[in-house]
Amino acid sequence: MVSPMARVPVVGGNWKMNLARSAARDLLTTLRGTLDGLEGVGVLLFPPAPWLGDAHDVLEGSSLRVGAQNAYWEQKGAFTGEVGPAMLQGTATHVLVGHSERRILFGETVWETGQKMRAVCAAGLTPVLAVGEPLSDRRSGRTEAGLRRQLTEGMRGITSMPEGFIVAYEPVWAIGTGEAATPEDAQARCKFLRGLIAERYGDDAGEAVRIQYGGSVNAENAASFFAQPDIDGALVGGASLDADAFAAICRAAAAS
Ligand code: 13P
């Protein structure tokens, strides 16, 4: 049985569709300088796809890891514009799947999310499954049903929990709005998600899975989330583009 104390928090920087190549390289170099070797936290950067190779090169040999923001569910073939998970091997270690911007802006269904999860696992990469909470679910008291569906469909066909698996709970209404969830609210959702993982993969898996909170996390509020027992880090959007803010969030996680 893995003790909850053994969970090392992980902070992800989701750059989304931001930063020109030179700015991306500068940020990678700065973050390596400030965060390499920081103990007590995993640091994961999700640059835009064209800069993944640069990220790999700049961060090689450091403790920082590279993730892709998305991938297709076929490994190769005639799928113009898509990137297969197998093509990321050697460049990225993680792949973000099911971010609410993919679900909402690009119409990604829970079935597609499941397809992607299986393809990422098949390629030997570590998935970070993002599950959202639309305001409509929240207002109608359907949050838990919605999270259950996203998790169940996302994990369909995956019979044991992927090594290093991370779930990111991101309420849609908190993303990019400056209006973060309260730590207590986020804790309740993350605890619920941990219970779903335990239900599906057993208690040890429930204790081992790392669950991030995402949505307007910044240097000022980060520690209040990390103080919660079921929140194991953060998935950070806007503040991850600012080296000082992102480093402060990573340090807060390391200190938690
Ligand atoms: P913000 O931190 O900008 O709210 O974005 C959160 C997010 O979507 C991370 O994936």
Side-chain angles (χ1 to χ4, degrees):
M1 171 103 179
V2 182
S3 129
M5 299 307 290
R7 283 197 306 269
V8 176
V10 59
V11 176
N14 177 8
W15 296 3
K16 308 191 180 183
M17 200 175 77
N18 290 295
L19 301 183
R21 187 175 190 183
S22 60
R25 286 192 70 97
D26 287 350
L27 183 54
L28 290 161
T29 305
T30 304
L31 292 175
R32 178 178 181 145
T34 50
L35 295 172
D36 183 23
L38 182 64
E39 286 183 14
V41 63
V43 179
L44 193 47
L45 301 178
F46 296 90
W51 317 147
L52 284 169
D54 283 358
H56 170 267
D57 294 350
V58 172
L59 301 179
E60 193 167 19
S62 78
S63 59
L64 284 66
R65 294 283 168 268
V66 179
Q69 295 176 16
N70 183 34
Y72 192 52
W73 61 76
E74 296 287 350
Q75 303 294 353
K76 66 181 176 71
F79 303 104
T80 301
E82 295 293 341
V83 175
M87 303 172 80
L88 297 166
Q89 287 165 350
T91 301
T93 52
H94 293 68
V95 182
L96 185 55
V97 177
H99 190 280
S100 61
E101 283 150 17
R102 304 264 1 133
R103 296 181 195 261
I104 295 167
L105 302 176
F106 301 98
E108 198 169 297
T109 64
V110 287
W111 178 82
E112 289 174 305
T113 300
Q115 290 280 89
K116 291 181 175 192
M117 284 290 295
R118 290 187 286 279
V120 166
C121 292
L125 301 171
T126 304
V128 180
L129 177 63
V131 292
E133 180 196 56
L135 194 53
S136 54
D137 278 7
R138 184 175 176 80
R139 288 195 171 140
S140 60
R142 289 193 42 81
T143 292
E144 292 195 349
L147 293 176
R148 179 182 286 277
R149 180 157 181 266
Q150 290 172 67
L151 199 86
T152 304
E153 295 301 321
M155 305 306 281
R156 188 175 290 284
I158 299 174
T159 51
S160 59
M161 189 174 83
E163 183 72 32
F165 184 47
I166 300 169
V167 177
Y169 162 67
E170 299 205 302
V172 174
W173 45 270
I175 296 178
T177 60
E179 193 190 322
T182 64
E184 294 74 23
D185 217 43
Q187 157 62 22
R189 307 305 189 207
C190 291
K191 184 175 180 188
F192 174 72
L193 288 164
R194 189 176 305 289
L196 292 181
I197 292 289
E199 212 176 88
R200 190 175 180 90
Y201 297 114
D203 290 346
D204 285 1
E207 290 297 337
V209 63
R210 287 180 294 177
I211 305 185
Q212 298 173 317
Y213 166 73
S216 297
V217 173
N218 57 41
E220 288 71 42
N221 65 16
S224 65
F225 291 106
F226 304 151
Q228 303 297 323
D230 287 290
I231 300 180
D232 309 312
L235 189 56
V236 186
S240 72
L241 300 171
D242 177 324
D244 290 340
F246 188 69
I249 294 167
C250 292
R251 287 198 196 93
S256 67

